[in-house]
Amino acid sequence: MLQLRGITKSYGSRRVLDDVAFDVAPGRLTGFVGGNGAGKTTTMRIMLGVLGRDAGEVTLNGAPVTAADRRLFGYMPEERGLYPKMKVLEHIVYLARLHGFSKTDAATRATALLEELGLGERLQDNVETLSLGNQQRAQIAAALVHDPEVLILDEPFSGLDPIAVDVVANVLQTRAAQGVSVLFSSHQLDVVERLCDDLVIIAGGTIRAAGTREGLRAEHATRRFELVSGTDAGWLRDEPGVEVVDFDGGYALFEADSDETVQRVLQRAVAAGDVTTFAPRRPTLAQIFTEVIQ
């Protein structure tokens, strides 16, 4: 378990992180979201020891993170940092060698990883000839080639087309299933919502929300329900305590003022005809994000 507690960072009189605290659990994908300048990259750099902190602590399994621990971290920065004149496979092999792998093992794991990321046909191409999306995949390979126990990725889906997003998402899900602690930031809230097990929202250098994806959706849910039935649901408009948000014949999206109202509506819907769906409408990540940063 990677934990941050009370992380504070200032540049002169400007405080950019204020009492930041959250967990990155093994075997789970943690989405880290916030607007530009919210503090995501600064937080990640402090976790990696690249940037100092004014206060607080970063721990791994209950002990302060050491330089030896950080050799077990994998990091992909938002800025591309590959050597453009090197061949793709040569580059990833070189990085694996820096982590202590033999030439044969480095070549084996680099080849397998690049093929997993969909770059099997580009192994002998120079990095500079790759599209931006393929360079992004190569950067992810660079972060993964030494089988890290903790993976920290800054905007890994930037510049990727939908197919590439699915490829990278599958790679990250596979690593999490193997017990890796994965933290990734992204502005693509739909991708974060689809992938993450846990979610951390930061704004203005402070954590505004943190928890499991479903826990946060439940916490921020309103009494908004979806009704689909075989009969016209127009009667909902006359129900006390009900506000109809959307309506189309047998479909209705409505808000109720109490649990008692919800139960009354359900009973009437069942009495009126076949009910296909009656379920709460949970907020999207975009809606939660907008709510907590205001």
Side-chain angles (χ1 to χ4, degrees):
M1 174 83 74
L2 184 66
Q3 295 182 311
L4 284 75
R5 293 292 182 268
I7 301 297
T8 300
K9 177 69 177 178
S10 297
Y11 293 108
S13 61
R14 184 170 67 94
R15 179 163 291 189
V16 295
L17 295 178
D18 188 5
D19 196 26
V20 167
F22 62 88
D23 299 339
V24 184
R28 298 177 70 82
L29 288 161
T30 300
F32 192 27
V33 300
N36 291 328
K40 301 187 300 298
T41 298
T42 300
T43 301
M44 289 179 167
R45 289 175 176 170
I46 288 174
M47 295 166 75
L48 292 156
V50 174
L51 192 64
R53 60 192 183 277
D54 299 331
E57 190 172 39
V58 182
T59 62
L60 182 64
N61 300 325
V65 174
T66 65
D69 292 328
R70 289 192 172 99
R71 285 196 284 272
L72 302 175
F73 287 16
Y75 175 53
M76 194 205 82
E78 184 175 8
E79 306 84 6
R80 290 183 173 85
L82 302 178
Y83 298 124
K85 300 296 183 183
M86 290 185 75
K87 297 185 186 304
V88 176
L89 178 59
E90 176 189 16
H91 201 318
I92 305 306
V93 168
Y94 169 72
L95 294 174
R97 295 279 282 152
L98 290 179
H99 282 285
F101 292 99
S102 70
K103 185 175 181 179
T104 300
D105 286 346
T108 299
R109 66 177 51 241
T111 300
L113 183 54
L114 289 166
E115 288 177 346
E116 185 181 5
L117 284 161
L119 292 176
E121 297 181 356
R122 309 303 299 272
L123 300 183
Q124 300 306 319
D125 294 351
N126 286 355
V127 170
E128 65 184 355
T129 69
L130 300 181
S131 67
L132 293 179
N134 281 338
Q135 288 185 33
Q136 190 80 336
R137 298 195 209 197
Q139 289 245 133
I140 293 169
L144 284 168
V145 72
H146 59 296
D147 288 336
E149 295 181 6
V150 176
L151 188 57
I152 300 173
L153 307 172
D154 200 349
E155 296 290 340
F157 301 102
S158 177
L160 299 184
D161 62 38
I163 294 175
V165 167
D166 287 342
V167 170
V168 171
N170 184 65
V171 169
L172 299 186
Q173 288 173 319
T174 299
R175 297 309 183 277
Q178 294 169 349
V180 177
S181 302
V182 182
L183 176 74
F184 69 97
S185 69
S186 179
H187 287 103
Q188 297 165 256
L189 298 183
D190 58 329
V191 176
V192 177
E193 183 163 26
R194 174 161 60 94
L195 289 183
C196 72
D197 301 299
D198 302 311
L199 179 65
V200 179
I201 300 176
I202 187 170
T206 63
I207 302 301
R208 303 298 179 87
T212 67
R213 177 184 57 190
E214 294 308 315
L216 288 174
R217 292 182 72 184
E219 179 182 340
H220 292 271
T222 59
R223 286 195 182 89
R224 179 170 288 197
F225 289 80
E226 187 177 55
L227 168 65
V228 181
S229 70
T231 58
D232 191 292
W235 52 268
L236 265 173
R237 294 193 176 97
D238 300 323
E239 280 292 314
V242 169
E243 180 180 349
V244 177
V245 177
D246 191 16
F247 175 81
D248 184 14
Y251 170 83
L253 181 66
F254 69 94
E255 292 184 355
D257 64 357
S258 67
D259 292 340
E260 290 75 15
T261 297
V262 173
Q263 292 303 313
R264 188 180 72 247
V265 168
L266 175 58
Q267 291 170 5
R268 181 165 178 182
V270 170
D274 294 334
V275 174
T276 305
T277 301
F278 191 92
R281 173 73 70 86
R282 296 290 178 86
T284 65
L285 173 53
Q287 291 169 330
I288 295 172
F289 179 79
T290 300
E291 177 183 338
V292 301
I293 67 172
Q294 289 179 342

